[in-house]
Amino acid sequence: MIPFAGNPLNRVSEKRTDSNWIESKWRDPSSLVLPMRRLEPFLRGTENSAPPLQLGLVNPAVVDSLAEKEAPRIFLGLDGDVAVFAIDVSEAADQPLAGLGYFREARTAASMVSLKDAAIIAQAKALIDWHQRHGFCPRCGEPTRLMDAGYRRLCGKCKAEHFPRVDPVVIMLATEGEACLVGRGKHFPPGMFSALAGFIEPGETIEEAVRRELMEEASVKIGEVTYYATQPWPFPSSLMIGCFAKAVNREIKPDDIEIAEVRWIERSTARELIEGKQVNGLRVPPPIAIAHHLIKTWALSSK
């Protein structure tokens, strides 16, 4: 399974508008809460503990004194009969959590916990990030307030409703014969190459976005486009739509704006790269990224 996918929680969205039910679950001693500090999730254990680690879920009473009154408190869903929340404790001291664990950057944390816990991190991080960015109404500029257990914000003046957004992004591995196309973004470290990607624009299909992005970034003409899989990507809140794209030929040229270099790599080289080896100084993204899985799936296929 691709990291950040496979969320195990039952979101019971029909319960979000029942403020009494939400409050009763918050006060339920069996409920669990994931503290988030500056968008970093809380993990159990010590910083030198070897993975896999446990997500730092605690009782609501433990964090009640940590969060400010207006801090985002999100109902994530039910794990069986147990309610699971996330709360932003960025502005608080962490004394009640001392000795229980530590906060860790979300990408790193996701690589240290189980896949199901990584998916919970993605949900919590994306939602709290959205609330931090949408405290004011884009229509009239007045403050908004959290509603529906974290899944809606309401403007107190013009009554406009705002909902968490997800930005669709195509990420695609172009192939031609026994080679696939990878690129190095200008912000990438030396030697790091990945599948190319870009946001879908208004009025554009997935296939059209794949062809446009590959033409814009690598000047490569694409024929058939096929869907592979998707990945929630909470940085800040995207849905990565993985695709394979068949190139008409191997003529390529980087745009030199976002992409510093593009190159074709043979299937045998791709197999070595997904095993974590460096080949002629090249590396590909680790398994946390869907780009890794695109390259791996193609590299290990028979044709």
Side-chain angles (χ1 to χ4, degrees):
M1 185 181 292
I2 297 172
F4 298 126
N7 194 315
L9 301 180
N10 178 358
R11 301 194 182 208
V12 286
S13 57
E14 69 277 9
K15 293 291 190 181
R16 294 171 185 167
T17 57
D18 188 342
S19 58
N20 291 330
W21 186 86
I22 293 294
E23 189 63 26
S24 71
K25 287 298 182 182
W26 180 260
R27 298 303 169 192
D28 188 333
S30 70
S31 294
L32 296 171
V33 184
L34 175 62
M36 299 281 293
R37 186 181 68 186
R38 293 187 287 277
L39 301 178
E40 294 184 346
F42 188 63
L43 300 180
R44 289 280 187 176
T46 61
E47 295 203 45
N48 58 1
S49 299
L53 300 180
Q54 285 187 317
L55 204 55
L57 298 170
V58 299
N59 186 276
V62 175
V63 293
D64 246 346
S65 62
L66 286 177
E68 293 185 341
K69 183 179 179 181
E70 299 302 320
R73 186 180 79 183
I74 314 295
F75 171 64
L76 300 178
L78 295 176
D79 185 1
D81 294 326
V82 176
V84 181
F85 293 83
I87 192 166
D88 183 12
V89 298
S90 299
E91 303 304 320
D94 58 1
Q95 288 92 339
L97 299 175
L100 297 178
Y102 62 99
F103 293 92
R104 179 55 61 92
E105 189 274 329
R107 283 183 183 84
T108 304
S111 67
M112 300 172 71
V113 299
S114 68
L115 287 173
K116 71 178 185 67
D117 284 348
I120 293 172
I121 288 173
Q123 182 186 4
K125 195 263 183 196
L127 281 165
I128 289 178
D129 196 347
W130 179 76
H131 283 285
Q132 290 181 353
R133 294 166 181 263
H134 290 79
F136 296 89
C137 178
R139 176 182 289 178
C140 70
E142 291 296 309
T144 60
R145 67 179 186 273
L146 183 149
M147 306 289 290
D148 298 352
Y151 292 82
R152 179 167 65 102
R153 294 193 73 90
L154 179 66
C155 177
K157 182 178 181 181
C158 72
K159 306 304 180 185
E161 297 178 302
H162 308 286
F163 299 89
R165 60 178 294 173
V166 175
D167 299 315
V169 177
V170 287
I171 180 165
M172 50 276 168
L173 189 69
T175 65
E176 200 287 321
E178 286 295 297
C180 70
L181 181 68
V182 293
R184 185 174 67 81
K186 288 198 168 183
H187 63 286
F188 285 10
M192 174 61 72
F193 283 77
S194 182
L196 300 180
F199 289 99
I200 296 178
E201 296 186 349
E204 189 173 48
T205 68
I206 292 171
E207 294 84 356
E208 289 166 348
V210 166
R211 295 188 179 102
R212 175 183 55 77
E213 285 289 342
L214 284 168
M215 177 57 69
E216 288 178 356
E217 295 186 343
S219 297
V220 61
K221 187 175 181 180
I222 296 299
E224 181 184 6
V225 175
T226 56
Y227 166 78
Y228 169 63
T230 57
Q231 179 189 35
W233 189 249
F235 305 101
S237 186
S238 297
L239 180 66
M240 308 299 291
I241 304 170
C243 296
F244 293 107
K246 289 188 177 180
V248 173
N249 54 51
R250 296 194 188 184
E251 295 179 9
I252 53 173
K253 180 183 177 183
D255 68 359
D256 204 33
I257 299 173
E258 297 181 24
I259 306 299
E261 184 179 358
V262 287
R263 63 172 64 183
W264 294 99
I265 56 173
E266 297 299 319
R267 197 185 301 268
S268 58
T269 299
R271 289 193 185 107
E272 292 185 89
L273 291 172
I274 57 140
E275 292 172 357
K277 300 176 183 176
Q278 285 197 30
V279 182
N280 298 324
L282 272 66
R283 292 176 292 133
V284 294
I288 195 173
I290 193 174
H292 177 97
H293 297 272
L294 281 165
I295 297 169
K296 180 179 180 179
T297 298
W298 175 81
L300 298 182
S301 65
S302 59
K303 61 179 181 177

